[in-house]
Amino acid sequence: MPDVVVIGAGAVGAACAYYAARAGLDVVVVDRGPVAGGTTGAGEGNVLVSDKAPGPELDLALLSDGLWRDLAEHDGFEFEPKGGLVVAETARDLEALTGLAAGQGVEHTAVAARELGEYEPHLARGLAGGVFYPRDAQVQPMLAAATLIRRGAERFGRGALMLRTGVAVTGFLRGGDRVTGVRTDHGDILAGAVANAAGVWGGQVAALAGVRVPILPRRGFVLVTEPIPEPVIRHKVYTAAYVANVASESEELETSAVVEATPSGPVLVGASRERVGFDRTTSVPVLERLARQAVALFPVLAGRRVIRAYCGFRPYCPDHLPVIGADPRAPGLHHACGHEGAGIGLAPATGHLLAQVLAGLTPDLDLRPFRPDRFKEERR
C-alpha cells in the first residue's frame, strides 16, 4: 500500500510526487489522461516573481524560484533564466509598476524609456518605461513534469514512485471519517493519504470527497509563430495590463500582450483570460486581438506567420490563492490545486511543502493562507 496517492500528473502533481518520494514516501500518481495532458500542456511555462503582489503567493513564488533552479541544475530539462521585462504604456502605468516593485522586496531594476532598447532592441518606441526582473524564468512545462516523475522514480528507492495513466478517480475510500484511498475505473487503491493535484478539475475531485473547493476554469489562448532564426526577443516581455488581468475577478474577456522567444525559434504570444466553462471553441477574434497586441509591442513580428494556436484552462480560485495542505473536513485528504496561471511556477514549492506535511514535518512556509476550508460555504 502506498503512503500517498497523487491525483493528477501535471506539473503540480509531478512536483508533489517527486518531493514526497524524496521524503521517503511511497507514491502512486494517477491521471485519467497522459502526463501533462491538462493545463500544464497548454501553458507557456512561466516561472514569475514579477507579477506577484507582496504576500503569501509571492513568498511561495520566491521559494519555488530557488527550487526550480536547483532542479534544473541537476535534472537537465529546458529551463531559461532569461529575466522578465514589464513595460508600461503610460506614466500612470509606470508609477503603478514601480510602486509594486518597491513593495515586493525582490531584485529588480527600474528601466527608463530611453533604456528599454538596451534590454529589447526590437521593442516598440513610445513606451513610458518598465521594470526588469532578473529572477523571472521560463521552463518547458511538459518536459519538466515528465522529468520530475521519472527522476522521482529513479532516485528515491525501489518502486517508491509509480505512475498510472489512463486511470480516472471515481470516488474515495473511507475508514470512518478518514480518507483511506481512491476508487478508480481500474479498481481501488488503498493509501495512507491522498493528494488532490487535479488542477482545473480539483473542485470536482474534492466534491467526490464531500468537500467544497471552489475552482473554476479560466480559458486562455496562446499563439505560436513560425521559427524566427534571429533572436528578436531576449526576455519574457509583457505589459502592465497583464499584472492587472492576473488579479482581476472579471468573467469577461481580458487580453494583454505577453511575448517571448523559445530556444527552437518560435515566439509564444499570450495572454487571454475569460470564464466560459470548459468551452474549447477557438475564438478567432481573441486570436486576432492577441496578434495585434503582440505586433504593437514588437513591430518586428508584423508579417510573421502564426503556425498554430492552442487553449488551456487555468484553475481559478476566487481569492487568487492556491489551495495547499490537509483538509480538516476530510482527514487523509490533502489539496495542491487552484494555482490559476501560476501553477508551473509554483509547482516545486507546492510539492515541497505538501511533502513536508505528508511526512509529518513543519512546512517551510505558513500554509494557513492556502488552507482548503477558508472559503465560505454556499447557502443551499
Side-chain angles (χ1 to χ4, degrees):
M1 183 179 81
D3 296 300
V4 58
V5 171
V6 177
I7 304 171
V12 173
C16 290
Y18 175 90
Y19 284 104
R22 196 173 79 167
L25 303 178
D26 288 337
V27 184
V28 173
V29 180
V30 296
D31 197 299
R32 65 183 180 183
V35 172
T39 299
T40 294
E44 297 177 69
N46 294 334
V47 181
L48 303 181
V49 298
S50 55
D51 63 340
K52 311 292 190 299
E57 190 181 28
L58 179 58
D59 294 339
L60 196 63
L62 291 171
L63 174 61
S64 220
D65 172 72
L67 293 172
W68 266 126
R69 292 168 192 272
D70 181 68
L71 289 168
E73 181 179 352
H74 295 97
D75 291 297
F77 47 80
E78 187 179 300
F79 180 84
E80 298 178 85
K82 64 175 69 173
L85 180 65
V86 191
V87 297
E89 296 173 295
T90 67
R92 184 176 180 179
D93 289 340
L94 182 60
E95 182 180 3
L97 274 183
T98 55
L100 172 65
Q104 289 170 315
V106 300
E107 184 181 0
H108 69 276
T109 301
V111 183
R114 65 181 181 278
E115 299 171 334
L116 289 172
E118 298 173 17
Y119 287 84
E120 292 289 346
H122 296 285
L123 196 62
R125 302 298 180 256
L127 295 165
V131 177
F132 178 69
Y133 289 84
R135 303 300 294 182
D136 280 0
Q138 184 79 10
V139 67
Q140 212 297 340
M142 292 174 283
L143 181 59
T147 300
L148 286 174
I149 291 175
R150 185 171 66 251
R151 293 286 189 264
E154 292 171 350
R155 291 180 179 169
F156 306 123
R158 295 165 295 280
L161 198 166
M162 181 183 296
L163 171 67
R164 296 182 60 185
T165 55
V167 175
V169 171
T170 59
F172 286 88
L173 303 174
R174 300 270 189 169
D177 291 335
R178 184 173 182 82
V179 170
T180 58
V182 294
R183 296 192 182 279
T184 81
D185 57 358
H186 284 63
D188 295 348
I189 305 174
L190 286 167
V194 177
N196 170 20
V200 76
W201 296 281
Q204 298 175 17
V205 169
L208 293 175
V211 296
R212 175 177 175 265
V213 177
I215 295 174
L216 297 171
R218 205 176 184 192
R219 187 176 71 181
F221 286 95
V222 175
L223 301 178
V224 184
T225 75
E226 63 184 331
I228 301 176
E230 65 275 17
V232 298
I233 302 170
R234 298 176 177 177
H235 308 95
K236 178 182 289 290
V237 182
Y238 63 88
T239 61
Y242 176 81
V243 180
N245 288 354
V246 167
S248 170
E249 298 179 5
S250 174
E251 298 183 17
E252 303 303 318
L253 172 66
E254 297 172 325
T255 63
S256 52
V258 180
V259 186
E260 63 193 307
T262 63
S264 55
V267 171
L268 303 181
V269 175
S272 66
R273 280 175 164 79
E274 55 186 330
R275 281 168 47 192
V276 292
F278 286 96
D279 183 1
R280 304 190 70 90
T281 304
T282 299
S283 173
V284 174
V286 174
L287 302 184
E288 290 176 340
R289 188 165 162 179
L290 290 174
R292 286 196 301 271
Q293 290 177 335
V295 171
L297 196 59
F298 284 97
V300 69
L301 294 177
R304 299 290 185 176
R305 291 179 296 176
V306 171
I307 59 174
R308 69 186 182 99
Y310 58 92
C311 81
F313 299 98
R314 302 174 183 88
Y316 166 89
C317 272
D319 61 1
H320 301 284
L321 289 177
V323 179
I324 306 171
D327 195 323
R329 302 166 297 180
L333 176 63
H334 299 70
H335 300 283
C337 48
H339 296 74
E340 199 170 337
I344 305 300
L346 301 179
T350 300
H352 168 72
L353 294 167
L354 194 67
Q356 289 180 315
V357 173
L358 290 167
L361 304 174
T362 300
D364 291 339
L365 291 181
D366 181 2
L367 292 181
R368 284 177 294 180
F370 311 110
R371 65 187 190 279
D373 61 338
R374 68 185 187 267
F375 304 100
K376 293 181 180 180
E377 293 296 328
E378 293 177 336
R379 294 182 179 178
R380 298 184 181 279

